[in-house]
Amino acid sequence: MDMKRSYYEDIQLLDSGTKKFWFGSLIIILLIIPFLIPGYYLHEVSYISINIIVAIGLNILVGYTGQVSLGHAGFFAIGAYAATLLVKHLPFFPFIFALIIAGLIAAAFGFILGLPSLRLEGPYLAIATLGFGMAIIQILGRFSVFGGRMGLSVPDIGFLNDLLYDSGLFTKTQSRDVNLYYIIMSITIIMALMARNLMKTRIGRAFIAIRDSDIAANSMGINLTKYKTLSFAVSAFYTGLAGGLYAFWMGFINPDSFDFILSILFLAMVVVGGLGSNIGPVLGAIIISFLNLNLQADSISAIPLLGDLLTVITENWMNKGGIASVSIIIFGLILIFIVLFEPLGLFGFWIRIKKYWKTWPF
Amino acid sequence: MQIMSNFLEIRNLTIWFGGLSAVDDVSFDVKEGMIFSIIGPNGAGKTTLFNLISGIYQPKKGSVTFLGKRIDGLQPHQICKLGIARTFQNIELFSRMTVMDNIMLGRHNHMKTGLIGGAFMWGKGSSAAREEILNRMAAEKIIEFLELQSVRNYFVGDLPYGKQKLIELARALALEPRLLLLDEPSAGMNNEEKQDLVFWIKDIQKEFNITIIMIEHDMKMVMDISDRLMAINFGQKLTEGLPDEVAGHREVMKAYLGEDDIAQP
Ligand SMILES: Nc1ncnc2c1ncn2[C@@H]1O[C@H](COP(=O)(O)OP(=O)(O)OP(=O)(O)O)[C@@H](O)[C@H]1O
Ligand SMILES: [Mg+2]
């Protein structure tokens, strides 16, 4: 029986005391965060968390299966609209089912988009998926059920709102943020663990095998058609479900929120984080969402000294967009530096930090 | 009417690339349980023959019949499921997977865990975990058989060439095939490793009851373990028979040594 245990250790999630300690601590910190930080930041954390789900899903496709997608904003949009329409028209439908169905609808589209991936490789697949993402927003913008260009307002999903408010700890608006935070964070943790399990078992192994050598995978009995489309579908499920959460988080959606720049941001999260690792996409999503939220014109001009200097420079030498153009340049530079100095992405930094701390605090 | 069909029957197999016939009207039979070797100079069409049998290429003419069933025209994964496994001359491993995971991939079709089952692998009692453990035990047996314990958890890409060749063999064995196609298994191995390999291949034939077709340049090894031998050149079959017959065949010596060297004695 002792022999058997050692095989389970190969696939066990928390295989050491150190890992159990850190995982437990993380959960506790995530639980008490709403009591520690102001509402606005909590709202930001929820947004980052949504992006983590997308990055995990996209990493399954890009990092583990070795297929590229520049159309994930399309799945995100499909999920957002599907979830919104479901809770709007079926008010008694539990939001969690709406999210799952939103994910499944996105997965169905993912499956269809996956079909050309059998014939298209690399840049050709990138263009096909890009076209998909752009077509989706065109379609959403043209039909009145989808609210056209004006978009749709999204009903509040309530759930813990009243409970939180009645506790007397939070105001009405805070209760809404805290409620969303708990919902989004729990779903993120569950989705992350499921992805991790998936990649440790039969299907995930087949995905990785296809990435490393599709000819060998095929000769070892893996049906490439089935598994490539499956990977697209799983990836789209994650993204669609995250899209549903985004709709609830945002309270309002329109086609412009899902343009192809968003697809590129998603891809950047996975690449900057480190392709084909579990922790990489999480780190990538955190840093890219954080920069995206905080590298805004006003936060840059607020930097002491440098902010004023940059404002003067942009006003004199660049277009009237002024400081906003600098923020995009800085964003790009940060990405270049990360990829240049750490080819494994943030995952590489993570490994080094982990080596440094080894088994701390034990 | 044919009563007894062979284990593997190749008839008039032909493929060409552009103007070049890589395999030209080749026919042969392989009986169950034997080690059948294929020799021939570089570019003779040996690997192409394997690619035709395993479904990577589709023949332009001819047929491949395995256990009485036509398999030409099938996809590689379908042929694999019928019980034919192969290794690759130019190593096609999953280089960023560990040795264990490479071998576990070979277990793919012996397992059932799907998307949902995999995602819900919560704890040791879950069906996914139980299936993983069982199959890891099967993989471990192969690891022990080929003495790969020391590299079990290494990434395959980090290992030396000779070891990688062995992992190709291990992965193919994990499929539990009935027919195993080995494309130059000893390439890149030193003498000591080759001796181990000979020993293992004989074991695979005898203990695991796996029929083997082997492409190999090392004539000593070929003569040592083959039950039957076929020589090809320029895509065409030169001759086939017992190892000694084939090795002494005039056409074969010509193909290997060149016309002039033969003519003198
Ligand atoms: N996909 C292909 N496209 C074009 N030509 C090919 C292709 N595959 C094989 N060939 C050609 O077919 C011929 C036979 O090649 P093959 O790889 O079968 O030789 P081989 O007997 O395995 O040689 P070696 O001992 O060097 O491995 C060669 O001339 C090769 O260039
Ligand atoms: Mg060859």
Side-chain angles (χ1 to χ4, degrees), chain A residues 83-91 152-155:
Chain A
T84 302
L85 290 173
L86 280 167
V87 292
K88 251 195 148 114
H89 296 294
L90 305 165
L152 296 167
S153 68
V154 186

mmCIF file of all heavy atoms in Angstrom, chain A residues 83-91 152-155:
data_model
loop_
_atom_site.group_PDB
_atom_site.id
_atom_site.type_symbol
_atom_site.label_atom_id
_atom_site.label_comp_id
_atom_site.label_asym_id
_atom_site.label_seq_id
_atom_site.Cartn_x
_atom_site.Cartn_y
_atom_site.Cartn_z
ATOM 1 N N ALA A 83 -24.873 35.434 -20.499
ATOM 2 C CA ALA A 83 -25.221 35.493 -19.078
ATOM 3 C C ALA A 83 -26.202 36.627 -18.821
ATOM 4 O O ALA A 83 -27.188 36.477 -18.079
ATOM 5 C CB ALA A 83 -23.954 35.681 -18.238
ATOM 6 N N THR A 84 -25.942 37.778 -19.443
ATOM 7 C CA THR A 84 -26.821 38.931 -19.255
ATOM 8 C C THR A 84 -28.244 38.619 -19.719
ATOM 9 O O THR A 84 -29.216 38.851 -18.984
ATOM 10 C CB THR A 84 -26.294 40.134 -20.058
ATOM 11 O OG1 THR A 84 -24.967 40.413 -19.618
ATOM 12 C CG2 THR A 84 -27.172 41.356 -19.855
ATOM 13 N N LEU A 85 -28.359 38.087 -20.925
ATOM 14 C CA LEU A 85 -29.700 37.810 -21.457
ATOM 15 C C LEU A 85 -30.423 36.767 -20.615
ATOM 16 O O LEU A 85 -31.628 36.869 -20.378
ATOM 17 C CB LEU A 85 -29.608 37.356 -22.916
ATOM 18 C CG LEU A 85 -29.181 38.478 -23.887
ATOM 19 C CD1 LEU A 85 -28.936 37.921 -25.281
ATOM 20 C CD2 LEU A 85 -30.230 39.593 -23.928
ATOM 21 N N LEU A 86 -29.680 35.781 -20.136
ATOM 22 C CA LEU A 86 -30.306 34.740 -19.314
ATOM 23 C C LEU A 86 -30.882 35.315 -18.023
ATOM 24 O O LEU A 86 -32.040 35.064 -17.686
ATOM 25 C CB LEU A 86 -29.299 33.635 -18.992
ATOM 26 C CG LEU A 86 -29.060 32.614 -20.098
ATOM 27 C CD1 LEU A 86 -27.832 31.769 -19.800
ATOM 28 C CD2 LEU A 86 -30.288 31.713 -20.252
ATOM 29 N N VAL A 87 -30.079 36.095 -17.301
ATOM 30 C CA VAL A 87 -30.607 36.610 -16.023
ATOM 31 C C VAL A 87 -31.654 37.698 -16.266
ATOM 32 O O VAL A 87 -32.549 37.902 -15.450
ATOM 33 C CB VAL A 87 -29.508 37.148 -15.075
ATOM 34 C CG1 VAL A 87 -28.638 36.012 -14.575
ATOM 35 C CG2 VAL A 87 -28.674 38.210 -15.716
ATOM 36 N N LYS A 88 -31.560 38.384 -17.397
ATOM 37 C CA LYS A 88 -32.545 39.425 -17.710
ATOM 38 C C LYS A 88 -33.910 38.830 -18.002
ATOM 39 O O LYS A 88 -34.930 39.298 -17.512
ATOM 40 C CB LYS A 88 -32.084 40.187 -18.960
ATOM 41 C CG LYS A 88 -31.622 41.599 -18.650
ATOM 42 C CD LYS A 88 -31.538 42.416 -19.932
ATOM 43 C CE LYS A 88 -31.869 43.846 -19.627
ATOM 44 N NZ LYS A 88 -30.761 44.755 -19.794
ATOM 45 N N HIS A 89 -33.917 37.790 -18.814
ATOM 46 C CA HIS A 89 -35.195 37.244 -19.267
ATOM 47 C C HIS A 89 -35.723 36.132 -18.384
ATOM 48 O O HIS A 89 -36.895 35.798 -18.431
ATOM 49 C CB HIS A 89 -35.073 36.769 -20.716
ATOM 50 C CG HIS A 89 -34.797 37.906 -21.660
ATOM 51 N ND1 HIS A 89 -35.712 38.905 -21.893
ATOM 52 C CD2 HIS A 89 -33.689 38.241 -22.365
ATOM 53 C CE1 HIS A 89 -35.185 39.792 -22.739
ATOM 54 N NE2 HIS A 89 -33.951 39.417 -23.024
ATOM 55 N N LEU A 90 -34.881 35.536 -17.599
ATOM 56 C CA LEU A 90 -35.322 34.494 -16.671
ATOM 57 C C LEU A 90 -34.897 34.903 -15.268
ATOM 58 O O LEU A 90 -33.917 34.395 -14.738
ATOM 59 C CB LEU A 90 -34.687 33.147 -17.036
ATOM 60 C CG LEU A 90 -34.877 32.637 -18.464
ATOM 61 C CD1 LEU A 90 -33.895 31.512 -18.757
ATOM 62 C CD2 LEU A 90 -36.305 32.162 -18.679
ATOM 63 N N PRO A 91 -35.647 35.829 -14.660
ATOM 64 C CA PRO A 91 -35.189 36.433 -13.412
ATOM 65 C C PRO A 91 -34.982 35.434 -12.279
ATOM 66 O O PRO A 91 -34.208 35.692 -11.361
ATOM 67 C CB PRO A 91 -36.305 37.410 -13.056
ATOM 68 C CG PRO A 91 -37.170 37.519 -14.254
ATOM 69 C CD PRO A 91 -36.949 36.321 -15.092
ATOM 70 N N LEU A 152 -26.293 46.668 -23.375
ATOM 71 C CA LEU A 152 -27.315 46.221 -22.429
ATOM 72 C C LEU A 152 -26.897 46.564 -21.009
ATOM 73 O O LEU A 152 -25.713 46.533 -20.679
ATOM 74 C CB LEU A 152 -27.451 44.690 -22.500
ATOM 75 C CG LEU A 152 -27.941 44.030 -23.784
ATOM 76 C CD1 LEU A 152 -27.681 42.528 -23.700
ATOM 77 C CD2 LEU A 152 -29.412 44.320 -23.991
ATOM 78 N N SER A 153 -27.903 46.862 -20.177
ATOM 79 C CA SER A 153 -27.572 46.968 -18.759
ATOM 80 C C SER A 153 -27.741 45.576 -18.152
ATOM 81 O O SER A 153 -28.534 44.774 -18.618
ATOM 82 C CB SER A 153 -28.495 47.961 -18.071
ATOM 83 O OG SER A 153 -29.790 47.450 -18.040
ATOM 84 N N VAL A 154 -26.948 45.309 -17.124
ATOM 85 C CA VAL A 154 -26.939 43.960 -16.559
ATOM 86 C C VAL A 154 -27.548 43.993 -15.172
ATOM 87 O O VAL A 154 -27.143 44.814 -14.343
ATOM 88 C CB VAL A 154 -25.488 43.428 -16.464
ATOM 89 C CG1 VAL A 154 -25.478 41.979 -16.025
ATOM 90 C CG2 VAL A 154 -24.774 43.595 -17.792
ATOM 91 N N PRO A 155 -28.540 43.124 -14.899
ATOM 92 C CA PRO A 155 -29.148 43.127 -13.569
ATOM 93 C C PRO A 155 -28.123 42.765 -12.493
ATOM 94 O O PRO A 155 -27.163 42.034 -12.764
ATOM 95 C CB PRO A 155 -30.224 42.041 -13.650
ATOM 96 C CG PRO A 155 -30.299 41.618 -15.064
ATOM 97 C CD PRO A 155 -29.083 42.072 -15.764
#
